[in-house]
Amino acid sequence: MELLSEISKQLEFGNDEKVHELTKDAIASNIDPKIILNDGLISGMNVIGEQFRKHEIFLPDVLMAAKAMYVGMELLKPLFIKDKIPSLGKIVIGTVKGDLHDLGKNLVGIMLKGAGFEVIDLGKDVPPEKFVETAKDERADLIGMSALLTTTLPVMQEVINLLKQNNLAGEIKTIIGGAPVSKEYAEKIGADAFAFDASNSVLVAKELIGII
Amino acid sequence: MKPILQRLKNGEVLVADGAMGTMLFDRNLKPGDCPELLNLTKPEILKEIAQLYFEAGADIIQTNTFGGSPLKLSDYGLEDKCEEINSKAVESVRKVIGESTYLSGSCGPSGKLLTPFGDTEPELLLKGFEQQINALVNAGVNIICIETMTDLREATIAVRAAKNIHPEIPVMVSMTFDKIPKGYYTIMGVNIEDAVNGLEDAGADIIGSNCGNGIDNMIEISKHMKELSARPILIQSNAGIPENIEGKIVYPESPSYFEDKTTELIEAGVSIIGGCCGTTPEHIKGIRKVVDSTARENI
């Protein structure tokens, strides 16, 4: 539908005002909100994610597109049951305790939301207990942990240990990422997966919850 | 002390110091603690590190004020201590290096994103850098080093802050580029040409690159900058991309590797050579050796 592909295109341009206007138009034309979400907003964020992965665009473009996406989602929210955007799954993310670098984690959040996940972002400097408690209380499917400092990596291990102690390992799966993190490190500490960048985290999250 | 810009103009190559952050972690800085708070609580550590780089032969020693802007300090609720943290940092180093070595005031990114893609107004950023730079200059730095920048707007705002309040102070700016298929770009999408033009327009006296992905890339970056600019060039490379070897973090590029590559940096026309993350006083000794022998050849 032309209106939806226009939403997608304006989102790629990072034009939040236009996305606002067009999303309103789409709602007024009685298009199913789920279709506006998927074929308008999410489809635009998919293009953004792919272009960012290929280094065709840079961080400011992604941030502007994300802003436009949030504007559209806010309009759609009240139209869904219980005021809730339908999601592929729920993920709790954060930068681990001791680490204040949240740029990468924020990007992961944007990409996951843009792909249709419900994201609970705990911010930076997040203690292990907070990851586990939130994931448990919110019945999350996944925990995503980020670290930039090499010195904060052991916190990831603590979260995984804590999940085991609470008999939640396996039920709540873990993804780790960040500059010093590797696939080998993920295996070593028993994380369920390693994501090498923000776009990859979407793929990995989908794999872990079994939708691809 | 001869003005630093005059020495560079005469074709001299100067040696800057190496890493601060990784040195602090080796000295038990706890993850999550504010590195700049050590300027107040444990100045002896900063003195020791300055002493090590001074003895290694650095001509320029940098302050531990990378995160010393009030915007960055607010992450730790320390924004009210901006003046104190920055001036104490200068005092500690000056005691060690005396008056004949240049003292450079480090200013890193604010950690905030500017409007429209972020929510920080340029005016707030400018005021923050003015406050930090004012404290550094009043405490006696010889030069300001705005470093690890990826957003050209933030970098130019920082230069303007310095020039607004202390027009006489030399300013060097270095940006961090990644190598991607179409060339060198910062994560914010700034290429070398845009960086050079933007920084020159803003009034930077010295331009360059720091951090990054190893010294080989820095050689390419400096060649490219030299083609585009007549300003002196500063390069402070990290010691390669850190590897996680059995739980221990190792920076792969050794002091002797740096020593080997220093010749190429000098040939590329770089005026100030130092180190970033993962480099040690040994790396700086290696650079010093090459700079000295090259200088002698030229005489």
Coordinates of all heavy atoms in Angstrom, one line a residue, chain A residues 52 54-60 63-64 67 97-100 102-103 107 124-125 149-153 179-182 185 188, chain B residues 25 29-33 72 75-76 111-113 116-118 179-182 185-190 242 244 246-247 249 251:
Chain A
F52 N 22.7 0.4 8.0 CA 23.7 0.7 9.1 C 24.7 -0.4 9.1 O 25.9 -0.2 9.2 CB 23.0 0.8 10.4 CG 23.9 1.2 11.5 CD1 24.6 2.5 11.6 CD2 24.2 0.4 12.6 CE1 25.4 2.8 12.6 CE2 25.0 0.7 13.6 CZ 25.7 1.9 13.6
K54 N 25.7 -2.3 6.7 CA 26.5 -2.2 5.5 C 27.4 -0.9 5.5 O 28.0 -0.6 4.5 CB 25.7 -2.2 4.3 CG 25.1 -3.5 4.0 CD 24.5 -3.4 2.5 CE 23.6 -4.6 2.2 NZ 22.6 -4.2 1.1
H55 N 27.3 -0.1 6.6 CA 28.0 1.2 6.7 C 27.6 2.2 5.7 O 28.4 3.1 5.3 CB 29.5 1.0 6.6 CG 30.1 0.0 7.6 ND1 30.2 0.4 8.9 CD2 30.6 -1.2 7.5 CE1 30.8 -0.7 9.6 NE2 31.0 -1.6 8.7
E56 N 26.4 2.1 5.2 CA 25.9 3.1 4.2 C 25.4 4.3 4.9 O 25.4 5.4 4.4 CB 24.8 2.5 3.3 CG 25.3 1.4 2.3 CD 24.2 0.6 1.7 OE1 23.0 0.8 2.1 OE2 24.5 -0.2 0.9
I57 N 24.9 4.1 6.1 CA 24.5 5.2 6.9 C 25.2 5.1 8.3 O 25.8 4.1 8.6 CB 22.9 5.2 7.2 CG1 22.5 3.9 7.8 CG2 22.2 5.5 5.8 CD1 21.1 4.0 8.3
F58 N 25.0 6.2 9.1 CA 25.7 6.3 10.4 C 24.8 6.5 11.5 O 23.6 6.6 11.3 CB 26.8 7.3 10.3 CG 27.9 7.0 9.3 CD1 27.7 7.4 8.0 CD2 29.0 6.2 9.6 CE1 28.7 7.1 7.0 CE2 29.9 5.9 8.6 CZ 29.8 6.3 7.3
L59 N 25.4 6.6 12.7 CA 24.6 6.6 13.9 C 23.5 7.7 13.9 O 22.4 7.5 14.3 CB 25.5 6.8 15.1 CG 24.9 6.7 16.5 CD1 24.3 5.3 16.7 CD2 26.0 6.9 17.6
P60 N 23.8 9.0 13.5 CA 22.8 10.0 13.5 C 21.5 9.6 12.7 O 20.4 9.9 13.1 CB 23.4 11.2 12.9 CG 24.9 11.0 13.2 CD 25.1 9.5 13.1
L63 N 19.5 7.2 14.7 CA 18.8 7.8 15.9 C 17.6 8.6 15.4 O 16.6 8.6 16.0 CB 19.8 8.7 16.6 CG 21.0 8.0 17.3 CD1 22.0 9.0 17.8 CD2 20.5 7.1 18.4
M64 N 17.8 9.3 14.2 CA 16.6 10.0 13.7 C 15.5 9.1 13.3 O 14.3 9.4 13.5 CB 17.1 10.9 12.5 CG 18.1 12.0 12.8 SD 17.5 13.2 14.1 CE 16.3 14.1 13.1
K67 N 13.7 7.9 16.3 CA 12.8 8.9 16.8 C 11.4 8.9 16.1 O 10.4 9.0 16.7 CB 13.4 10.3 16.6 CG 14.0 10.9 17.9 CD 14.3 12.4 17.6 CE 14.6 13.1 18.9 NZ 15.0 14.5 18.6
K97 N 26.9 -3.7 35.4 CA 27.4 -3.0 36.5 C 28.9 -2.6 36.3 O 29.7 -3.4 35.9 CB 27.3 -3.8 37.8 CG 27.6 -3.0 39.0 CD 27.2 -3.8 40.3 CE 27.7 -3.2 41.5 NZ 27.4 -1.8 41.7
G98 N 29.2 -1.3 36.6 CA 30.5 -0.8 36.5 C 30.8 -0.2 35.2 O 31.9 0.4 35.0
D99 N 29.9 -0.3 34.3 CA 30.1 0.1 32.9 C 29.1 1.2 32.6 O 27.9 1.0 32.7 CB 30.0 -1.0 31.9 CG 31.0 -0.9 30.8 OD1 31.1 0.3 30.3 OD2 31.6 -1.9 30.3
L100 N 29.6 2.3 32.1 CA 28.7 3.5 31.8 C 28.6 3.7 30.3 O 28.0 4.7 29.9 CB 29.2 4.7 32.5 CG 29.2 4.6 34.0 CD1 30.0 5.8 34.6 CD2 27.8 4.6 34.6
D102 N 26.8 3.3 27.1 CA 25.6 2.7 26.6 C 25.2 2.9 25.2 O 24.1 2.7 24.8 CB 24.4 3.2 27.6 CG 24.3 4.7 27.5 OD1 25.1 5.4 26.8 OD2 23.5 5.3 28.2
L103 N 26.1 3.5 24.4 CA 25.8 3.7 23.0 C 25.5 2.5 22.3 O 24.4 2.4 21.6 CB 27.1 4.4 22.4 CG 26.8 5.0 21.0 CD1 25.9 6.1 21.1 CD2 28.2 5.5 20.4
L107 N 21.7 1.3 20.8 CA 21.5 0.8 19.4 C 20.8 -0.5 19.3 O 19.9 -0.7 18.5 CB 22.9 0.7 18.7 CG 23.3 1.9 17.8 CD1 24.7 1.6 17.3 CD2 22.4 2.1 16.7
K124 N 22.4 1.8 32.2 CA 23.7 1.4 32.4 C 24.0 1.1 33.8 O 23.2 1.4 34.7 CB 24.7 2.5 31.8 CG 24.3 3.9 32.3 CD 25.0 5.0 31.4 CE 24.6 6.4 31.8 NZ 25.2 7.4 31.0
D125 N 25.2 0.6 34.1 CA 25.6 0.3 35.4 C 24.6 -0.6 36.2 O 24.2 -0.4 37.3 CB 25.8 1.6 36.2 CG 26.6 1.5 37.5 OD1 27.3 0.4 37.6 OD2 26.5 2.3 38.3
L149 N 33.9 -2.0 28.8 CA 35.2 -2.1 29.5 C 35.5 -3.6 29.7 O 34.6 -4.4 30.1 CB 35.0 -1.5 30.9 CG 34.8 0.0 30.9 CD1 34.5 0.5 32.3 CD2 36.0 0.7 30.4
T150 N 36.7 -4.0 29.5 CA 37.2 -5.3 29.7 C 37.0 -5.8 31.2 O 36.7 -6.9 31.5 CB 38.6 -5.5 29.3 OG1 39.3 -4.4 30.0 CG2 38.8 -5.3 27.8
T151 N 37.1 -4.8 32.1 CA 37.1 -5.1 33.5 C 35.7 -5.4 34.0 O 35.5 -5.9 35.1 CB 37.6 -3.8 34.3 OG1 37.0 -2.7 33.7 CG2 39.1 -3.8 34.3
T152 N 34.7 -5.1 33.2 CA 33.3 -5.4 33.7 C 32.7 -6.7 33.1 O 31.6 -7.0 33.5 CB 32.3 -4.2 33.3 OG1 32.4 -4.0 31.9 CG2 32.7 -2.9 34.1
L153 N 33.5 -7.3 32.3 CA 33.0 -8.6 31.7 C 32.5 -9.6 32.7 O 31.5 -10.3 32.5 CB 34.1 -9.2 30.8 CG 34.3 -8.6 29.4 CD1 35.4 -9.3 28.7 CD2 33.0 -8.6 28.6
A179 N 32.4 -4.5 22.7 CA 33.7 -4.5 22.0 C 34.6 -5.7 22.5 O 35.1 -6.4 21.7 CB 34.4 -3.2 22.1
P180 N 34.7 -5.9 23.8 CA 35.7 -7.0 24.2 C 35.1 -8.4 24.2 O 35.7 -9.3 24.6 CB 36.1 -6.5 25.6 CG 34.9 -5.8 26.1 CD 34.2 -5.2 25.0
V181 N 33.8 -8.5 23.9 CA 33.1 -9.8 24.0 C 33.3 -10.6 22.7 O 33.3 -10.0 21.6 CB 31.6 -9.6 24.2 CG1 30.9 -10.9 24.4 CG2 31.4 -8.7 25.5
S182 N 33.4 -11.9 22.8 CA 33.6 -12.7 21.7 C 32.7 -14.0 21.8 O 32.1 -14.2 22.9 CB 35.0 -13.2 21.6 OG 35.4 -14.0 22.7
Y185 N 34.1 -16.2 24.4 CA 33.8 -15.8 25.7 C 32.4 -16.2 26.1 O 32.1 -16.6 27.2 CB 34.0 -14.2 25.9 CG 33.9 -13.8 27.3 CD1 34.9 -14.1 28.2 CD2 32.8 -13.1 27.8 CE1 34.9 -13.7 29.5 CE2 32.7 -12.7 29.1 CZ 33.7 -13.0 30.0 OH 33.6 -12.6 31.3
K188 N 32.4 -19.7 26.9 CA 33.1 -19.9 28.2 C 32.2 -19.7 29.4 O 32.2 -20.4 30.4 CB 34.3 -19.0 28.2 CG 35.3 -19.4 29.3 CD 36.5 -18.5 29.3 CE 37.1 -18.5 30.7 NZ 37.4 -17.1 31.2
Chain B
F25 N 43.4 1.3 35.3 CA 42.8 0.0 35.7 C 43.9 -1.0 36.2 O 43.6 -1.8 37.1 CB 42.1 -0.6 34.4 CG 40.8 0.0 34.1 CD1 40.5 0.6 32.9 CD2 39.8 0.0 35.1 CE1 39.3 1.2 32.7 CE2 38.6 0.6 34.9 CZ 38.3 1.2 33.6
L29 N 41.9 0.9 39.6 CA 40.6 1.7 39.5 C 39.5 0.7 39.3 O 39.6 -0.2 38.4 CB 40.7 2.6 38.2 CG 39.5 3.3 37.8 CD1 39.1 4.4 38.9 CD2 39.6 3.9 36.5
K30 N 38.5 0.8 40.1 CA 37.3 -0.1 40.0 C 36.4 0.3 38.9 O 36.1 1.4 38.7 CB 36.6 -0.2 41.3 CG 37.4 -0.7 42.5 CD 37.4 -2.2 42.5 CE 38.3 -2.8 43.7 NZ 39.7 -2.6 43.4
P31 N 35.9 -0.7 38.1 CA 34.9 -0.4 37.1 C 33.7 0.3 37.8 O 33.3 -0.1 38.8 CB 34.5 -1.8 36.6 CG 35.5 -2.8 37.0 CD 36.2 -2.2 38.2
G32 N 33.3 1.3 37.1 CA 32.1 2.1 37.6 C 32.6 3.3 38.5 O 31.8 4.1 38.8
D33 N 33.8 3.3 38.9 CA 34.3 4.5 39.6 C 34.7 5.6 38.6 O 35.1 5.3 37.5 CB 35.6 4.1 40.4 CG 35.2 3.3 41.6 OD1 34.0 3.1 41.9 OD2 36.2 2.8 42.3
K72 N 29.9 15.2 31.5 CA 30.3 13.8 31.7 C 30.4 13.5 33.2 O 30.0 12.4 33.6 CB 31.7 13.6 31.1 CG 32.2 12.2 31.1 CD 31.5 11.3 30.1 CE 31.8 9.8 30.3 NZ 30.9 9.0 29.5
D75 N 27.4 12.1 35.2 CA 27.1 10.6 35.2 C 27.4 10.1 36.7 O 26.8 9.1 37.1 CB 28.1 9.9 34.3 CG 27.5 9.9 32.9 OD1 26.4 10.3 32.7 OD2 28.3 9.4 32.0
Y76 N 28.3 10.8 37.4 CA 28.7 10.3 38.7 C 28.2 11.3 39.8 O 28.6 11.2 40.9 CB 30.2 10.2 38.8 CG 30.9 9.3 37.8 CD1 31.3 9.9 36.6 CD2 31.0 8.0 38.0 CE1 31.9 9.1 35.6 CE2 31.6 7.2 37.0 CZ 32.1 7.7 35.9 OH 32.7 6.9 34.9
G111 N 29.8 12.6 26.2 CA 28.9 11.4 26.4 C 27.5 11.7 26.0 O 26.6 10.8 26.2
K112 N 27.2 12.9 25.7 CA 25.8 13.3 25.3 C 25.7 13.5 23.8 O 26.7 13.7 23.1 CB 25.4 14.6 26.0 CG 25.6 14.7 27.5 CD 24.5 13.9 28.2 CE 24.6 14.0 29.7 NZ 25.5 13.0 30.3
L113 N 24.5 13.3 23.3 CA 24.2 13.4 21.9 C 23.5 14.8 21.6 O 22.6 15.1 22.3 CB 23.4 12.3 21.4 CG 24.1 10.9 21.3 CD1 23.1 9.8 21.2 CD2 25.2 10.9 20.3
P116 N 19.7 17.4 16.6 CA 18.3 16.9 16.7 C 18.3 15.4 17.1 O 17.3 14.9 17.5 CB 17.7 17.1 15.3 CG 18.9 17.0 14.4 CD 20.0 17.6 15.1
F117 N 19.4 14.6 16.8 CA 19.3 13.2 17.1 C 19.4 12.8 18.5 O 19.0 11.8 18.9 CB 20.3 12.4 16.2 CG 21.6 13.0 16.1 CD1 22.6 12.7 17.1 CD2 22.0 13.9 15.1 CE1 23.8 13.3 17.0 CE2 23.2 14.5 15.0 CZ 24.2 14.2 16.0
G118 N 20.0 13.7 19.3 CA 20.1 13.5 20.8 C 19.2 14.6 21.5 O 18.5 15.3 20.8
K179 N 37.8 2.0 10.0 CA 38.0 1.7 8.6 C 36.8 0.9 8.1 O 36.5 -0.2 8.6 CB 39.3 0.9 8.4 CG 39.7 0.8 7.0 CD 41.0 0.0 6.9 CE 41.5 0.2 5.4 NZ 42.8 -0.4 5.3
I180 N 36.1 1.5 7.2 CA 34.9 0.7 6.6 C 35.2 0.6 5.1 O 36.1 1.3 4.6 CB 33.6 1.4 6.9 CG1 33.5 2.8 6.3 CG2 33.3 1.5 8.4 CD1 32.1 3.4 6.4
P181 N 34.4 -0.2 4.4 CA 34.7 -0.4 3.0 C 34.9 0.9 2.2 O 35.8 1.0 1.3 CB 33.5 -1.1 2.4 CG 33.0 -1.9 3.6 CD 33.3 -1.0 4.8
K182 N 34.2 2.0 2.5 CA 34.4 3.2 1.6 C 35.4 4.2 2.2 O 35.5 5.3 1.7 CB 33.0 3.9 1.4 CG 32.3 4.3 2.6 CD 31.0 5.0 2.2 CE 30.1 5.3 3.4 NZ 28.8 5.9 3.0
Y185 N 35.8 6.6 8.5 CA 34.7 7.3 9.0 C 34.6 7.2 10.5 O 34.9 6.1 11.0 CB 33.4 6.8 8.3 CG 33.1 7.3 6.9 CD1 33.8 6.7 5.8 CD2 32.3 8.4 6.6 CE1 33.6 7.1 4.5 CE2 32.1 8.8 5.3 CZ 32.7 8.2 4.3 OH 32.5 8.6 3.0
T186 N 34.1 8.2 11.2 CA 33.7 8.0 12.6 C 32.3 7.4 12.6 O 31.6 7.4 11.6 CB 33.6 9.4 13.3 OG1 32.5 10.1 12.9 CG2 34.8 10.3 13.1
I187 N 32.0 6.9 13.8 CA 30.7 6.3 13.9 C 29.5 7.2 13.6 O 28.4 6.9 13.2 CB 30.5 5.6 15.3 CG1 29.2 4.8 15.3 CG2 30.5 6.6 16.4 CD1 29.0 3.8 16.5
M188 N 29.8 8.5 13.7 CA 28.8 9.6 13.4 C 28.8 9.9 12.0 O 28.1 10.8 11.5 CB 29.0 10.8 14.3 CG 29.0 10.6 15.8 SD 27.5 9.9 16.4 CE 26.5 11.3 16.5
G189 N 29.7 9.3 11.2 CA 29.6 9.5 9.7 C 30.5 10.6 9.2 O 30.3 11.1 8.2
V190 N 31.5 11.0 10.0 CA 32.5 12.1 9.6 C 33.7 11.4 8.9 O 34.3 10.5 9.5 CB 32.9 12.9 10.8 CG1 33.9 14.0 10.4 CG2 31.8 13.4 11.7
P242 N 42.0 -4.8 21.3 CA 42.2 -5.7 22.4 C 41.7 -7.1 22.1 O 40.6 -7.3 21.6 CB 41.5 -5.1 23.6 CG 40.6 -4.0 23.0 CD 41.1 -3.6 21.7
N244 N 40.8 -10.9 23.8 CA 40.4 -11.6 25.1 C 41.1 -12.9 25.1 O 40.6 -13.9 24.6 CB 38.9 -11.7 25.2 CG 38.5 -12.1 26.6 OD1 39.2 -12.7 27.3 ND2 37.2 -11.8 26.9
E246 N 42.1 -16.0 27.2 CA 41.9 -16.7 28.5 C 41.4 -15.8 29.6 O 42.0 -15.8 30.7 CB 43.1 -17.5 28.9 CG 43.2 -18.8 28.0 CD 44.5 -19.5 28.2 OE1 45.3 -19.1 29.1 OE2 44.8 -20.4 27.4
G247 N 40.5 -14.9 29.3 CA 39.9 -14.0 30.3 C 40.8 -12.8 30.6 O 40.4 -11.9 31.3
I249 N 42.7 -9.4 29.1 CA 42.7 -8.5 28.0 C 44.1 -8.1 27.5 O 44.9 -7.6 28.3 CB 41.9 -7.3 28.3 CG1 40.5 -7.7 28.8 CG2 41.8 -6.3 27.1 CD1 39.7 -8.6 27.8
Y251 N 46.4 -6.2 24.6 CA 46.5 -5.3 23.4 C 47.7 -5.8 22.6 O 48.8 -5.9 23.1 CB 46.8 -3.9 23.8 CG 45.5 -3.2 24.3 CD1 45.1 -3.3 25.6 CD2 44.8 -2.4 23.4 CE1 43.9 -2.7 26.0 CE2 43.6 -1.7 23.8 CZ 43.2 -1.9 25.1 OH 42.0 -1.3 25.5

